[in-house]
Amino acid sequence: MANVSTSYDYLFKVLLCGDCGVGKTSMLCRFISDEMNDAYIATIGVDFKLTTLEMRGKMIKLQIWDTAGQERFKALTAQYYRRAQGIMLVYDITNEQTFENTASWLRMIQENSTSDVKLMLIGNKIDNEQKRQVTTHQGQQLAKDYGMDFFEASALSSENVSEAFSTFTENILKHMQGRYKEMVGSQVSLNKLGLNDSSTKPKRESPCAC
């Protein structure tokens, strides 16, 4: 069962994207409720689930959005990219075309998300190793080229699913805390320079009472 706490320190919105049939919904259900159903229907538009994780002494609420992989829904789901702190791009290791299509998904991410969004690439269905068409090295290289975290996993067997989501959440947390420290550091520097001191601002002369 999903652990959803009413109190939390951070709320992270994470988006799942990738071709239809790569197993996004299956991975999400495996992570949230440790369930797997071969009869999942294709996601229509977007759906989301909530869970809460404890990371580095902080309570993190995850709002995980599962987006449709069909072409006709791309315009609809694009708006959700801008709101995400993290995006997980999923492909099927037994279907080379889904890996090749990551190029168009990455373009969509670059066009619609913020510049500091965290990315993870996940190769799903490693339980079906005998039908593998995409090597681990190919996935690792693509992830390296785009600065993404990388995991191979199986929604069917649950291998690496929790590890992928947990690692990604922790990396988003580190990133957000790092940004906060930079902002605080910049503010301190401005204060030291007196640039935020109102006394340094030129005073307006009082209007003459003629």
Side-chain angles (χ1 to χ4, degrees):
M1 297 294 292
N3 174 26
V4 183
S5 174
T6 55
S7 61
Y8 54 90
D9 299 296
Y10 294 94
L11 170 64
F12 293 157
K13 296 180 181 179
V14 174
L15 201 71
L16 286 171
C17 66
D19 282 7
C20 183
V22 296
K24 300 185 297 295
T25 302
S26 297
M27 289 190 67
L28 180 55
C29 289
R30 175 64 81 181
F31 174 60
I32 295 293
S33 56
D34 197 22
E35 294 178 351
M36 176 68 187
N37 186 342
D38 292 332
Y40 288 131
I41 61 173
T43 302
I44 304 299
V46 293
D47 189 15
F48 78 93
K49 295 185 182 298
L50 293 170
T51 190
T52 308
L53 300 177
E54 185 174 356
M55 293 277 177
R56 307 175 77 186
K58 301 293 184 181
M59 294 303 296
I60 314 298
K61 178 176 279 190
L62 286 180
Q63 189 180 80
I64 308 174
W65 293 85
D66 180 16
T67 66
Q70 299 97 316
E71 184 70 30
R72 67 180 184 274
F73 291 118
K74 284 189 176 181
L76 171 65
T77 59
Q79 61 183 306
Y80 292 90
Y81 286 67
R82 289 184 289 274
R83 305 174 187 175
Q85 282 77 46
I87 298 176
M88 305 176 85
L89 175 55
V90 185
Y91 66 93
D92 177 355
I93 70 156
T94 70
N95 185 336
E96 188 175 12
Q97 188 62 53
T98 66
F99 181 73
E100 293 178 354
N101 289 346
T102 58
S104 64
W105 287 105
L106 285 165
R107 283 195 297 272
M108 189 171 181
I109 290 170
Q110 291 174 335
E111 291 170 0
N112 294 284
S113 64
T114 59
S115 59
D116 62 345
V117 67
K118 292 292 291 180
L119 303 177
M120 173 175 276
L121 181 67
I122 301 182
N124 188 30
K125 304 188 183 181
I126 58 173
D127 55 276
N128 208 353
E129 184 66 31
Q130 68 275 18
K131 294 185 178 180
R132 178 188 283 272
Q133 295 181 2
V134 183
T135 68
T136 300
H137 177 72
Q138 285 176 289
Q140 290 172 332
Q141 187 59 54
L142 178 63
K144 181 180 179 181
D145 290 344
Y146 284 88
M148 297 184 283
D149 298 321
F150 176 71
F151 264 88
E152 287 189 332
S154 167
L156 181 63
S157 70
S158 80
E159 184 177 355
N160 284 343
V161 173
S162 291
E163 291 83 353
F165 278 95
S166 297
T167 297
F168 195 43
T169 302
E170 185 169 12
N171 288 343
I172 294 173
L173 177 60
K174 290 178 182 177
H175 180 61
M176 297 300 290
Q177 289 179 332
R179 284 183 57 203
Y180 176 74
K181 288 180 180 179
E182 288 179 3
M183 290 172 63
V184 171
S186 297
Q187 190 70 27
V188 169
S189 296
L190 288 173
N191 289 338
K192 284 182 177 179
L193 289 170
L195 297 181
N196 275 351
D197 187 347
S198 60
S199 64
T200 64
K201 296 179 181 178
K203 296 181 179 180
R204 295 179 60 185
E205 295 182 358
S206 300
C208 179
C210 298

